[in-house]
Amino acid sequence: MCGIVGYIGTREAYPIIIEGLKRLEYRGYDSAGIALYDGKDLKVSKTKGKVVDLEERSEKEITKHGNVGIGHTRWATHGVPNDVNSHPHISNSGELVIIHNGIIENYESLKKELISRGYTFKSDTDTEVLINLIEDVKRQENVKLGKAVQIALNQVIGAYAIAVFDKNKPEEVVIARLGSPLAIGVGKDDFFIASDASPFLEYTKDAIYLEDEEMAIIRLHKGIKIRKIKDDSLVDPYVQKLQINLEQIEKGGFDHFMLKEIHEQPKAITDTYRGRLLRQEAIIKMAGVEDNMKKFLNADRIIIVACGTSWHAGLVAEYIFEDLARVPVEVEYASEFRYRNPIITEKDVLIAISQSGETADTLAAIKLAKSKGAFVFGVCNVVGSSIARETHAGAYTHAGPEIGVASTKAFTTQITVLTLIALRLARAKGTISSTDFRHHLLELEMIPKKVEEALKSDAHIRKISEIYKEAPNMLYLGRGYNFPVALEGALKLKEISYIHAEGYPAAEMKHGPIALIDENMPIIVIATKKGHYEKVVSNIQEIKSRKGKIIGIVTEGDVQVKELADHVIEVPETLESLSPLLTTIPLQLLSYHIAVMLGKNVDQPRNLAKSVTVE
Ligand code: F6R
């Protein structure tokens, strides 16, 4: 949550920071701000709204000149989104300026203490408390900025990624992290600071990722010093070469990132299984699983923790693991898991699924499981993310950057990775025959082509969207493997179109939701050939008798549902266990088109952020 960008060097900082903030808007977009040192003084401009609003405002408010600066795009935690609560925040003396991503939990007591010493506050934020605490320490202890930041952070409880500078010493920027990501781009004569590498990719591919509880003092022409915040020990900076390029984080001719990412799925799924699924040799090769095979084979059960869409991928995985590898699986909301004193033993394997690799609740669940001795395996998309680093082992999804806030390709690639793991375990345990195993590999290999086929229904789905775009509610039904897809379809619709939608197991409809059905209720039913087809057809009959409008997601060539439903959308045939990879595609497109038709901001839906780094 919240995007941070900073620059110190010889170029103009303003365009670098503004363009960088636009790339980080997926992290939050309810207000934005920038602070520049223009060679003489500190210039700050900030506003409620998006980065384009900031551009407009800063045009009138500041000279956009200077070689040092920090900028912020906010997802509000403390204090409503308004101009005053926007970052950057300035200390009482007007000398120190800060941007912050995270939450200072003990800010109220710190604030009281500072007020008793004469400090005043303009905003409701915890961040303004932090910058004044730093100022107070700097004065009281008579220390330099870096030391003051370190002492102040040792008094703070919470999570943060911060960037601070002093207008009297603008050749130095101090940054620190605990729980929120922070990267430094190392240029020839300059340094970039950002929540992820996207703001500086066009300038440098050399990056240093700060670890939790580390701070860095970045000095123009002098380099970087990294220290542990707690014990002051020096850390050797590890500079890594980034593999992503600019095209991957641009829209590439699509109207929205979400649409681009939906269409990227054939490639993303191929990238996910490339080098892992070796059909000719009839093997699956995944180092993270291979190296820890004993842990997996000895596990009494697998616990999957995740949030949102990743949790839905976990539910699909529950079916796959139990079905193929015959191992008991529990799927937990990461946020609930840690607050109910769960029973975890050394014989448990915990799989944490996260696109961003930064989700605070998932991270906390991992730490809890580790503390109880469980083996923790991560399935993440963002390379080098906190979850990827915190887990004992893992497998990346290799989906490429996902920028649209609504998760699409992350979901299908997570399912792909989890299917590979389940198949590998099934083979090792002997719970799948060699013929079946080969068949699965063949079918999985064909999924990208079939996703391409499914994407061809786009124009047809657009027409259906036109008919139902004004519906106030929608129901999504599915059984077995496609029950989690129904949940995911409903989540996609509500998060980007703000239409209320619910997903249910199709048979559960009779136990309540059926009361909602009348001639105005559109119901999307996933009724593919191999997933309890006859039973779902009966459910469709029940809806039909109550005059509900039925949109069936069916297997190519389907006859029965076609006769009953108001509309059908076909997907190619595949194995039941792989069907979520196809049935989810029309649901993504349906949500996308409805949201566009309603004029909603598809890539940045209200109140949401891509990376949820607060609990
Ligand atoms: C929905 C969506 C969210 C995320 C959830 C977990 O489209 O994107 O529900 O799936 O916030 O995020 P990650 O996977 O990054 O842990």
Side-chain angles (χ1 to χ4, degrees):
M1 325 290 282
C2 301
I4 283 184
V5 186
Y7 177 78
I8 176 164
T10 48
R11 305 170 204 246
E12 285 294 341
Y14 183 84
I16 296 170
I17 294 171
I18 291 290
E19 287 314 306
L21 288 178
K22 284 183 185 164
R23 290 198 189 134
L24 291 184
E25 268 192 317
Y26 73 86
R27 303 182 63 84
Y29 34 79
D30 55 41
S31 45
I34 188 165
L36 288 175
Y37 179 73
D38 70 358
K40 288 195 197 103
D41 208 354
L42 190 62
K43 301 286 175 209
V44 175
S45 182
K46 53 188 195 170
T47 181
K48 176 176 182 223
K50 301 200 174 220
V51 180
V52 285
D53 303 307
L54 171 65
E55 272 181 294
E56 214 175 281
R57 183 148 187 172
S58 55
E59 193 69 49
K60 296 177 212 137
E61 275 184 358
I62 55 170
T63 48
K64 298 178 303 185
H65 169 66
N67 309 119
V68 181
I70 53 180
H72 188 264
T73 175
R74 179 169 186 243
W75 187 87
T77 54
H78 288 92
V80 294
N82 61 23
D83 294 356
V84 178
N85 287 335
S86 309
H87 298 214
H89 289 280
I90 301 172
S91 63
N92 274 195
S93 70
E95 289 170 2
L96 307 186
V97 61
I98 189 170
I99 48 173
H100 167 219
N101 166 24
I103 292 181
I104 307 301
E105 287 169 12
N106 57 337
Y107 84 105
E108 287 204 50
S109 57
L110 293 169
K111 190 171 181 175
K112 264 192 206 138
E113 177 77 32
L114 288 166
I115 289 173
S116 73
R117 283 205 236 131
Y119 284 84
T120 56
F121 294 89
K122 294 190 184 105
S123 76
D124 307 319
T125 65
D126 49 350
T127 308
E128 198 187 4
V129 174
L130 180 57
I131 193 62
N132 282 303
L133 177 66
I134 294 169
E135 175 154 294
D136 193 55
V137 171
K138 191 167 175 289
R139 280 207 190 130
Q140 304 277 339
E141 310 270 334
N142 194 19
V143 287
K144 291 185 181 160
L145 179 63
K147 196 72 200 164
V149 168
Q150 186 182 20
I151 296 170
L153 290 179
N154 277 314
Q155 296 177 28
V156 149
I157 301 168
Y160 50 78
I162 56 165
V164 187
F165 75 89
D166 179 344
K167 73 169 189 181
N168 300 318
K169 220 179 160 212
E171 62 285 355
E172 175 180 292
V173 177
V174 179
I175 65 171
R177 81 159 267 183
L178 175 62
S180 300
L182 209 46
I184 307 168
V186 183
K188 214 161 145 262
D189 299 312
D190 47 8
F191 298 100
F192 305 80
I193 298 148
S195 300
D196 72 33
S198 60
F200 56 76
L201 271 183
E202 65 208 89
Y203 304 102
T204 178
K205 290 277 170 71
D206 292 333
I208 299 169
Y209 285 91
L210 225 55
E211 297 285 341
D212 268 348
E213 302 190 346
E214 283 180 2
M215 60 180 288
I217 300 174
I218 305 171
R219 289 199 186 103
L220 191 60
H221 309 308
K222 289 199 180 140
I224 304 170
K225 270 228 164 80
I226 301 181
R227 289 182 184 279
K228 293 270 177 213
I229 296 167
K230 275 211 179 110
D231 64 14
D232 201 38
S233 57
L234 271 174
V235 176
D236 264 346
Y238 168 60
V239 183
Q240 50 178 284
K241 269 266 173 264
L242 297 171
Q243 302 297 334
I244 41 173
N245 50 45
L246 213 51
E247 296 85 75
Q248 285 177 288
I249 55 163
E250 287 176 339
K251 282 190 204 146
F254 286 91
D255 287 343
H256 297 95
F257 280 111
M258 182 181 178
L259 189 61
K260 175 187 174 228
E261 286 154 11
I262 290 173
H263 282 271
E264 276 175 349
Q265 288 174 108
K267 179 174 180 306
I269 295 170
T270 311
D271 290 344
T272 302
Y273 68 53
R274 180 176 293 120
R276 291 167 167 170
L277 187 168
L278 306 177
R279 190 174 51 80
Q280 304 288 356
E281 294 98 314
I283 51 172
I284 285 170
K285 248 170 78 177
M286 298 178 91
V289 178
E290 237 44 69
D291 297 347
N292 298 287
M293 189 53 94
K294 264 202 188 135
K295 298 262 182 212
F296 278 104
L297 294 182
N298 292 338
D300 283 342
R301 61 175 176 166
I302 292 177
I303 305 167
I304 296 179
V305 292
C307 302
T309 291
S310 298
W311 183 74
H312 296 154
L315 287 179
V316 176
E318 177 178 23
Y319 286 84
I320 307 177
F321 275 98
E322 294 198 340
D323 193 7
L324 302 179
R326 307 300 299 145
V327 52
V329 176
E330 284 168 28
V331 189
E332 307 270 358
Y333 283 117
S335 53
E336 287 300 312
F337 180 68
R338 54 186 296 234
Y339 287 118
R340 65 166 171 69
N341 195 10
I343 299 158
I344 312 167
T345 74
E346 285 168 11
K347 291 200 76 187
D348 287 325
V349 166
L350 182 129
I351 299 181
I353 310 170
S354 175
Q355 187 286 128
S356 62
E358 301 294 344
T359 302
D361 285 319
T362 310
L363 205 50
I366 291 169
K367 288 182 181 160
L368 175 68
K370 275 172 76 179
S371 73
K372 309 259 179 186
F375 171 70
V376 181
F377 189 91
V379 175
C380 295
N381 189 36
V382 177
V383 176
S385 53
S386 303
I387 291 178
R389 287 198 306 244
E390 188 65 40
T391 42
H392 294 117
Y396 284 117
T397 47
H398 299 309
E402 190 182 67
I403 292 165
V405 164
S407 206
T408 52
K409 62 177 179 171
F411 181 63
T412 45
T413 53
Q414 285 164 349
I415 295 174
T416 305
V417 163
L418 293 159
T419 303
L420 288 169
I421 301 172
L423 281 167
R424 179 65 193 98
L425 294 187
R427 201 72 198 109
K429 291 179 78 175
T431 51
I432 191 168
S433 71
S434 139
T435 320
D436 243 11
F437 183 71
R438 282 172 186 272
H439 189 194
H440 273 81
L441 295 190
L442 179 67
E443 285 289 337
L444 186 54
E445 206 178 50
M446 288 189 324
I447 287 292
K449 274 259 155 298
K450 293 183 180 183
V451 172
E452 268 170 30
E453 279 305 307
L455 287 167
K456 288 184 186 157
S457 297
D458 189 45
H460 173 52
I461 296 170
R462 204 175 310 156
K463 281 188 199 139
I464 299 175
S465 310
E466 190 65 57
I467 301 170
Y468 295 105
K469 65 175 196 277
E470 307 291 351
N473 300 289
M474 290 204 199
L475 274 182
Y476 286 71
L477 304 178
R479 281 183 102 117
Y481 280 96
N482 279 304
F483 157 55
V485 178
L487 295 180
E488 174 60 8
L491 176 63
K492 282 298 82 99
L493 186 73
K494 59 188 149 196
E495 69 182 328
I496 59 169
S497 71
Y498 318 146
I499 293 174
H500 173 243
E502 295 293 337
Y504 273 97
E508 193 61 24
M509 181 185 66
K510 290 192 283 294
H511 302 282
I514 198 162
L516 294 168
I517 298 176
D518 62 14
E519 62 280 9
N520 298 316
M521 175 68 94
I523 299 141
I524 293 97
V525 190
I526 306 162
T528 46
K529 268 280 151 55
K530 293 191 180 129
H532 316 278
Y533 183 70
E534 296 305 334
K535 295 249 186 300
V536 180
V537 171
S538 308
N539 299 140
I540 292 177
Q541 306 260 23
E542 291 154 12
I543 300 167
K544 183 104 185 136
S545 4
R546 281 145 189 101
K547 300 196 171 56
K549 297 281 180 287
I550 300 159
I551 302 161
I553 310 297
V554 299
T555 310
E556 245 161 28
D558 177 277
V559 184
Q560 247 178 301
V561 177
K562 220 173 248 170
E563 274 177 13
L564 295 169
D566 296 85
H567 316 269
V568 292
I569 305 168
E570 293 189 339
V571 294
E573 187 162 0
T574 187
L575 295 175
E576 189 188 351
S577 61
L578 300 179
S579 65
L581 293 168
L582 301 180
T583 52
T584 197
I585 306 293
L587 305 190
Q588 294 170 346
L589 287 170
L590 187 74
S591 312
Y592 171 78
H593 288 305
I594 290 179
V596 171
M597 284 167 192
L598 293 176
K600 305 296 183 213
N601 188 336
V602 172
D603 283 334
Q604 294 170 353
R606 69 181 179 205
N607 305 338
L608 290 171
K610 186 77 186 154
S611 177
V612 186
T613 54
V614 291
E615 290 172 27

